[in-house]
Amino acid sequence: MKKTSFRNPLLLLLTAVIWGVAFVAQSVGMEYVGPFTFNFVRSMIGGLVLIPCIFLLDRVRGGASAEKADRASLKSEEKTEGRSVSGVESEPQYTWKQKELFVGGICCGTALFVASNLQQFGIKYTTVGKAGFITALYIVLVPLLGIFLKKAVGLKIWISVALTVAGLYLLCITDGFSIRGGDFLVLLCALCFSVHILVIDYFSPKVDGVRMSCIQFFVCGLLSGIAMLFTEQFDLNAVLMAWMPILYAGVMSCGVAYTLQIVGQKGMNPTVASLILSLESVVSVLAGWLILGQKLSPRELSGCVLMFAAIILAQIPQKK
């Protein structure tokens, strides 16, 4: 088993925690600015935050590569391209010149633009519980879309998906379920998030995840800004009044969480990744309990238990 087998799920779990808390920030921020304005500012902040991180990571990688090269040169002076005779592999050299990097960043940013703005608009016209449940339906849509991409999905994963859907229903749906205009927008949002996950799954093994994340935020921010100019009026005072939720959404939800998603999802089954990321619904309920004083009913606690059971089941390694 690879050393990253447990690191990647932990990174995705941390992503879900940050996103779950971000629901509070999104709800508060929408009291001051429109959906496109909110996503424009938060995405630009997320992209700007990653620029110094990229240079810092490049220096760390460069130092690690130099140290490995020094150790390898002490063992042998004979080297071949990309590998020394001692078996020490060189670190991949990430640059901005990769065509796949910009193609992946543009594709991810476009999918993120559509999904995040559909979510913002949908929340305005439906309840938070319904929005959380419908958005998390990407855990079902990912394996369904993966079938068309010839990605195998085992019985264990389908059982995990069923448990997660049942848990989300108990957790989020406390009243009658019906499909209205806002519900339909959030359903489209879930479909776009499913595409976003599959796009990341395709490009993340080929490029540097942090660089691709930086590009996707600027693309999402640019598209949101263009839409903002035609549909909303940018008010700097309103943005400043909402500085705290916007800053959290930009730095943590965008700059940190989406980057952790790209890095953590690298090499993972996209269906398993979507199951872990769906825990944001659990975290959002817990955040509402801790921050807003909302209590969890026995029904909601049962939903949390089912979701955690689904995640654990999905992580159990299969026998060869």
Side-chain angles (χ1 to χ4, degrees), residues 154-301:
L155 177 62
K156 183 185 68 173
I157 300 299
W158 283 114
I159 295 175
S160 299
V161 169
L163 288 174
T164 306
V165 172
L168 284 168
Y169 183 85
L170 293 175
L171 178 65
C172 301
I173 304 301
T174 57
D175 53 2
F177 184 85
S178 61
I179 297 294
R180 298 180 181 178
D183 303 329
F184 183 70
L185 290 176
V186 181
L187 180 61
L188 293 178
C189 152
L191 177 61
C192 292
F193 273 128
S194 303
V195 174
H196 184 251
I197 290 176
L198 293 175
V199 171
I200 290 176
D201 178 66
Y202 178 80
F203 284 101
S204 60
K206 304 178 181 180
V207 299
D208 177 30
V210 183
R211 279 179 167 82
M212 187 171 72
S213 183
C214 181
I215 294 174
Q216 80 162 347
F217 291 133
F218 284 125
V219 170
C220 180
L222 178 62
L223 295 176
S224 297
I226 294 174
M228 175 192 68
L229 293 176
F230 287 97
T231 60
E232 300 172 1
Q233 184 176 0
F234 182 80
D235 188 351
L236 181 59
N237 292 328
V239 173
L240 293 177
M241 292 178 64
W243 69 270
M244 186 176 293
I246 290 179
L247 194 62
Y248 178 88
V251 176
M252 296 302 295
S253 181
C254 285
V256 176
Y258 277 104
T259 302
L260 289 178
Q261 179 197 6
I262 291 177
V263 176
Q265 195 180 323
K266 190 172 185 177
M268 284 195 65
N269 185 311
T271 301
V272 177
S274 67
L275 285 168
I276 300 175
L277 294 174
S278 69
L279 282 174
E280 65 176 300
S281 296
V282 178
V283 177
S284 65
V285 174
L286 294 176
W289 173 49
L290 294 173
I291 300 175
L292 304 177
Q294 299 174 348
K295 296 182 180 180
L296 292 174
S297 66
R299 174 192 178 98
E300 292 170 328
L301 288 173

Side-chain angles (χ1 to χ4, degrees), residues 135-148:
T135 299
L137 285 178
Y138 61 73
I139 67 171
V140 180
L141 296 175
V142 166
L144 291 178
L145 293 177
I147 293 176
F148 296 99

Side-chain angles (χ1 to χ4, degrees), residues 53-67:
C53 295
I54 292 172
F55 287 103
L56 179 61
L57 288 174
D58 285 345
R59 293 189 62 179
V60 172
R61 289 166 179 161
S65 298
E67 184 179 351

